[in-house]
Amino acid sequence: MNAIVDILTSAGLWAAILRIATPLVFGTLGALLCERAGVLNLGIEGIMTFGAMIGWLTVYHGADLWTGLLVAAIAGMVFGLLHSALTVTLGLSQHVSGLGVTLFASSFSYYLFRLIVPVAGTPPTIVPFQPISIPVLSTLPFVGPAFFTQTAPTYLAIVMALLLAYVVFHTPLGLAIRMTGENPHAAEAQGVNPMRMRYGAVIVGSALMGMGGAFLTLSAFNSFFPTMVQGRGWICIALVVFSSWRPGRALFGALLFAFFDAFQLRLQTVVQGIPYQIFLMTPYVLSIAALAAMARRARVPQALMQSYRRGER
């Protein structure tokens, strides 16, 4: 019991929670924005993988870290444009299109990486983002090292969550996005172009997904390997439901999953005699339980996964 208390009162645990949550925040916000406009984007796993690869590759070939993050966002936008063309313009199945994007983006990431980077026993590395200590706040006992000595993309992810919450619920643009996801025909009657709203939401949302992947190679780690996303994209899809399609709750959900993950990693070092696989599955089991509890009260956007044709009802 004392060991558990020590873990919970460790600043290192809470600092790790923010780091682990950062790619989930980017990915969940991206998926949430897509779904608010009525488009399910199951391409997130592949987009995050490609963002991780292309962001790292950009920096590896001499660009700065922010350029790598920008290139990952642009790559995500390209895949978002592809998904939009297939689902919004052509009206194809959003499930099939999203899974196709994931398979294509993941496979293309590995192919491009092996094409450009020579095969080596040890993957090449870069110098990643370094923690930034916020003046005054970083010197506070416990709180300072836990929350105010993170890398720049972590601070950016939190700002993006707050910004998206404001845009979605307090601006005319956010109202147009929500109307498109609820009833695109009613949105059209009010002068909103639902197809344009869906295109914009999917493209911007996919850019956020690409940035979430790039965080892994540019901040959390310093190299790329094909399986590094490890299902985070699917976790983000679940977190959107957990959050009831609200950015503030999405931030909380990402932090909650990150807490489970960071806690089990440290618990393995103090609890003996239990297979480590039990600890590894704990965050997912608890997340499923939380998702099941919240999903009953979640209100799904009414036009989610419904194709739209102008003038049709």
Side-chain angles (χ1 to χ4, degrees), residues 61-79:
H61 283 280
D64 63 84
L65 292 166
W66 286 108
T67 301
L69 197 64
L70 176 62
V71 170
I74 294 173
M77 294 172 71
V78 172
F79 284 110

Side-chain angles (χ1 to χ4, degrees), residues 273-295:
I274 299 178
Y276 73 93
Q277 292 89 349
I278 299 295
F279 294 102
L280 292 177
M281 65 182 275
T282 300
Y284 299 93
V285 172
L286 294 177
S287 298
I288 291 172
L291 177 63
M294 295 294 294

Side-chain angles (χ1 to χ4, degrees), residues 4-309:
I4 293 177
V5 172
D6 290 339
I7 292 174
L8 293 175
T9 56
S10 168
L13 170 70
W14 299 97
I17 289 171
L18 284 180
R19 289 195 301 271
I20 295 171
T22 299
L24 299 177
V25 173
F26 278 119
T28 304
L29 293 178
L32 185 151
L33 184 58
C34 295
E35 294 184 27
R36 271 291 180 180
V39 179
L40 178 67
N41 191 350
L42 295 181
I44 180 172
E45 183 81 4
I47 293 172
M48 290 182 72
T49 301
F50 192 84
M53 188 279 300
I54 200 67
W56 177 89
L57 199 60
T58 301
V59 176
Y60 178 69
H61 283 280
D64 63 84
L65 292 166
W66 286 108
T67 301
L69 197 64
L70 176 62
V71 170
I74 294 173
M77 294 172 71
V78 172
F79 284 110
L81 180 62
L82 173 62
H83 186 57
S84 297
L86 294 173
T87 58
V88 179
T89 301
L90 299 180
L92 302 181
S93 168
Q94 295 179 9
H95 292 94
V96 174
S97 174
L99 292 174
V101 169
T102 283
L103 292 173
F104 171 68
S106 300
S107 301
F108 188 53
S109 299
Y110 184 64
Y111 170 75
L112 192 62
F113 177 72
R114 281 304 177 205
L115 186 66
I116 298 176
V117 180
V119 177
T122 303
T125 61
I126 61 170
V127 178
F129 281 100
Q130 299 302 307
I132 298 174
S133 297
I134 297 180
V136 180
L137 295 177
S138 62
T139 61
L140 295 174
F142 183 79
V143 177
F147 301 112
F148 299 110
T149 55
Q150 300 290 331
T151 60
T154 296
Y155 299 127
L156 178 61
I158 296 173
V159 171
M160 291 300 297
L162 299 176
L163 179 62
L164 187 61
Y166 175 80
V167 169
V168 169
F169 293 106
H170 299 284
T171 67
L173 175 60
L175 178 60
I177 293 172
R178 286 185 287 126
M179 286 181 64
T180 300
E182 295 291 341
N183 191 330
H185 299 288
E188 183 184 7
Q190 296 299 317
V192 175
N193 187 328
M195 296 188 73
R196 186 177 299 172
M197 286 293 107
R198 287 188 169 184
Y199 259 89
V202 174
I203 290 172
V204 174
S206 298
L208 292 171
M209 297 173 189
M211 293 171 66
F215 174 85
L216 296 174
T217 50
L218 302 183
S219 184
F221 305 102
N222 60 0
S223 61
F224 171 78
F225 50 94
T227 59
M228 69 186 315
V229 175
Q230 293 183 327
R232 288 179 175 87
W234 309 121
I235 292 295
C236 292
I237 296 294
L239 287 175
V240 173
V241 181
F242 173 83
S243 68
S244 299
W245 289 267
R246 302 182 71 89
R249 293 182 184 177
L251 176 60
F252 171 74
L255 291 171
L256 182 63
F257 179 86
F259 168 78
F260 293 149
D261 198 9
F263 183 68
Q264 66 86 14
L265 287 172
R266 285 156 177 77
L267 200 60
Q268 290 184 47
T269 63
V270 298
V271 177
Q272 304 297 324
I274 299 178
Y276 73 93
Q277 292 89 349
I278 299 295
F279 294 102
L280 292 177
M281 65 182 275
T282 300
Y284 299 93
V285 172
L286 294 177
S287 298
I288 291 172
L291 177 63
M294 295 294 294
R296 295 183 178 182
R297 295 177 291 179
R299 185 182 179 279
V300 182
Q302 295 301 300
L304 180 62
M305 295 184 289
Q306 295 180 10
S307 60
Y308 165 78
R309 288 291 181 271

